[in-house]
Amino acid sequence: MPSHPDRSLRLAGASNFRDLGGYAGADGRAVRWRRLFRSDHLAGLTPQDAERLRALGVTRAFDLRGVAERAAVPYELAGARQVPLPIEPTVVQRMKDLIDAGQQVTPARTVELMQHTYRAFVHDNAARFAALFEHLLEADEPLVFHCTAGKDRTGFAAALILLALGVPRDVVMQDYLLTNDFYQMPTLDDSRAPREVLNVLWRVQEAFLDAALQAVDQDFGGPDRYLAQQLHLTPAARERLRALYLAPDGLLS
């Protein structure tokens, strides 16, 4: 395994599938490569994509999509156990509700909607993220966690994981914004939302994740307290997480 593998796996059927490895975490120890993957949904994987994930040893897939999302776009990944951890309502559903109510949807209103959604991750969905950490602590077998686009629910989950591993907040934000480099927005010819709104909806902005992190800071006293009090990540559990997913001193893999 090279010391610095590509962060994006450049899969044909999942444009936002990428590795969280390599970032400097607690005590300067790097996040291990090829253990923690984040992605958009996996229903479009080609047989070659699936074989590549099998070769990487991915045995766990944590699906943050809502119940209807999973039912509408199911998938199978040979050799991997699927674990649903639904986070709802989705931002798309929130948008549809606004349109159905006859409200005008503008780019600025969409930014507000996204920020509200991210704050809801913090306040309303802690149990789902706590469950994800419970699974992370089971073993260090390669895993992927994903939602539909791999940018919002997945983005906040990735931020929590990296923060728990001691990765600095500015680096966490850099990883979050990589979605804009990789994610390929779906074709939505029947969408009732204007293109400039969709460009907000299907991309990420620093203001989105900032809304969640500010809620963590203001309402819970910061990431450390949030992880401990809301996600039940005790000091011992946090040490185990770091033992599993950070490389030993001086190693990068």
Side-chain angles (χ1 to χ4, degrees), residues 5-6 11-12 20-21 26-27 31 36 49 58 78-79 81 83 90-91 111 136 147 168 174 188 226 230 250:
D6 288 341
L11 300 180
L20 289 180
D27 303 319
V31 180
L36 298 165
D49 292 337
V58 175
R81 173 172 59 100
V83 180
T90 69
V91 68
V111 169
L136 294 179
C147 52
Q174 291 171 22
L188 298 171
Y226 182 76
Q230 302 300 309

Side-chain angles (χ1 to χ4, degrees), residues 87-91 93-95 97-98 108-125 152 207-212 215:
I87 295 176
E88 300 184 277
T90 69
V91 68
Q93 185 58 54
R94 292 179 191 272
M95 175 69 72
D97 290 344
L98 288 177
R109 184 70 185 276
T110 306
V111 169
E112 292 176 357
L113 175 68
M114 296 299 292
Q115 291 175 311
H116 175 73
T117 298
Y118 274 68
R119 285 188 286 267
F121 293 158
V122 175
H123 293 105
D124 301 338
N125 300 115
D152 301 317
F208 302 167
L209 183 57
D210 262 346

